[in-house]
Amino acid sequence: LQRVLRTPLDASFIGRQSFFALPVDPRRWALGSLRGVRMLFQGKYTDQVAAMMKKRPYFDTIRELDPEFKRATQAIENHVEGVSKRVAGPEEAVFTDDEAFVNRFLLAIPGVGHAIMRSSDSFSVGLAAMRYYIGEQLYVLGKRAGRSSEEIAEDLKVITHLSGRGSLGAAEGAAGEISQLLWAPRWLASRIQVPLDVLTKSGHARMLAVRGLFGGAGLTASILGMAKLAGADIELNPTSANWGKMKIGPSRMDVTA
């Protein structure tokens, strides 16, 4: 039921997948968020954004630097070529390039099917375009600063993780099946890999990981602080399953989920 309800008019990548990318490049994050919302209501705009990104002068060069980043921005190329990533197997899963989350029978419902398709395009293309746009800036600044292609590739890998796309490693080929058992497995993997990037990366890539992780933590604390001042209840007990969540009336909200 949760998967069905979140599908129509879903631009959740703005606050969920891309949350830790916000401190890295607020301007491009904001532009990507606005684009994602507009894509929900204007299908032709999705086509325009995808075509515009694919025509960027460094599009192919940047994506070839890191396999993870290339997969994380594949939705742009797929959309331009008119190929939606659909998996029609026993699980009856339908696309997005980041997570598969909806049953195919819903597409046959008049009106609902169109909303799901529009939602999927907004989610996958919008998030991929935001990732690429931030990655392009990292590439340009990296070349200007004299960083090697290997160093820039590490930057791209970090921004992929910060924007909610983790690597499933050897299980990557079974992502569709895993998504039927776990909610958003690539997003869950990214939330493990972001703090690991802080510990394992070096140089500029580590700086990006630190900025994203601690900037996101600071933003979360600010939101919770303002909510507390506005009268919300905040769970401060770190041993509680609701730690860091706000409660307004009977509802609990996790600002990072």
Side-chain angles (χ1 to χ4, degrees), residues 181-218:
L181 302 175
L182 293 175
W183 174 248
R186 291 192 180 100
W187 175 74
L188 292 173
S190 75
R191 290 311 180 247
I192 297 173
Q193 288 161 359
V194 166
L196 288 179
D197 286 341
V198 174
L199 300 174
T200 60
K201 300 299 183 185
S202 60
H204 191 259
R206 174 179 284 179
M207 184 194 73
L208 289 176
V210 169
R211 187 189 304 172
L213 180 61
F214 289 98

Side-chain angles (χ1 to χ4, degrees), residues 5-253:
L5 292 177
R6 76 175 284 279
T7 301
L9 300 181
D10 177 24
S12 61
F13 74 85
I14 295 170
R16 181 183 289 116
Q17 275 78 5
S18 68
F19 183 78
F20 288 112
L22 168 58
V24 173
D25 196 331
R27 189 174 74 85
R28 284 171 175 75
W29 178 90
L31 180 58
S33 299
L34 291 173
R35 282 173 172 165
V37 173
R38 185 175 172 184
M39 287 177 190
L40 285 174
F41 304 101
Q42 298 180 12
K44 290 185 178 180
Y45 183 69
T46 306
D47 301 341
Q48 292 170 3
V49 170
M52 176 184 68
M53 288 294 169
K54 196 173 187 309
K55 290 179 181 178
R56 304 284 288 186
Y58 304 117
F59 183 79
D60 293 323
T61 302
I62 295 173
R63 294 179 68 240
E64 290 301 325
L65 290 176
D66 179 62
E68 281 191 47
F69 186 77
K70 183 176 182 177
R71 287 193 297 267
T73 54
Q74 185 64 34
I76 298 171
E77 195 160 5
N78 288 343
H79 192 84
V80 171
E81 295 174 358
V83 179
S84 295
K85 286 232 175 162
R86 296 189 176 122
V87 181
E91 73 284 352
E92 293 294 321
V94 184
F95 61 83
T96 61
D97 292 271
D98 271 69
E99 309 292 353
F101 57 81
V102 65
N103 291 328
R104 178 175 286 277
F105 80 90
L106 292 173
L107 297 177
I109 302 175
V112 174
H114 179 74
I116 291 174
M117 293 289 289
R118 183 70 59 80
S119 173
S120 176
D121 286 344
S122 170
F123 185 97
S124 57
V125 178
L127 181 53
M130 177 190 287
R131 281 192 191 114
Y132 175 77
Y133 200 36
I134 295 175
E136 182 185 70
Q137 181 71 355
L138 292 174
Y139 174 82
V140 171
L141 294 178
K143 285 296 185 183
R144 196 174 296 167
R147 288 194 286 276
S148 67
S149 295
E150 291 75 17
E151 290 174 309
I152 296 174
E154 290 299 297
D155 290 351
L156 297 176
K157 193 182 299 293
V158 169
I159 199 62
T160 300
H161 297 163
L162 289 173
S163 60
R165 170 104 180 196
S167 173
L168 299 179
E172 189 67 41
E177 290 80 0
I178 295 173
S179 69
Q180 303 307 302
L181 302 175
L182 293 175
W183 174 248
R186 291 192 180 100
W187 175 74
L188 292 173
S190 75
R191 290 311 180 247
I192 297 173
Q193 288 161 359
V194 166
L196 288 179
D197 286 341
V198 174
L199 300 174
T200 60
K201 300 299 183 185
S202 60
H204 191 259
R206 174 179 284 179
M207 184 194 73
L208 289 176
V210 169
R211 187 189 304 172
L213 180 61
F214 289 98
L219 179 59
T220 300
S222 299
I223 294 172
L224 293 176
M226 289 187 289
K228 180 71 172 179
L229 292 174
D233 292 328
I234 309 297
E235 179 57 69
L236 301 177
N237 182 3
T239 64
S240 171
N242 294 317
W243 179 54
K245 295 180 182 179
M246 68 173 74
K247 184 178 181 182
I248 301 177
S251 302
R252 291 189 184 276
M253 289 176 281

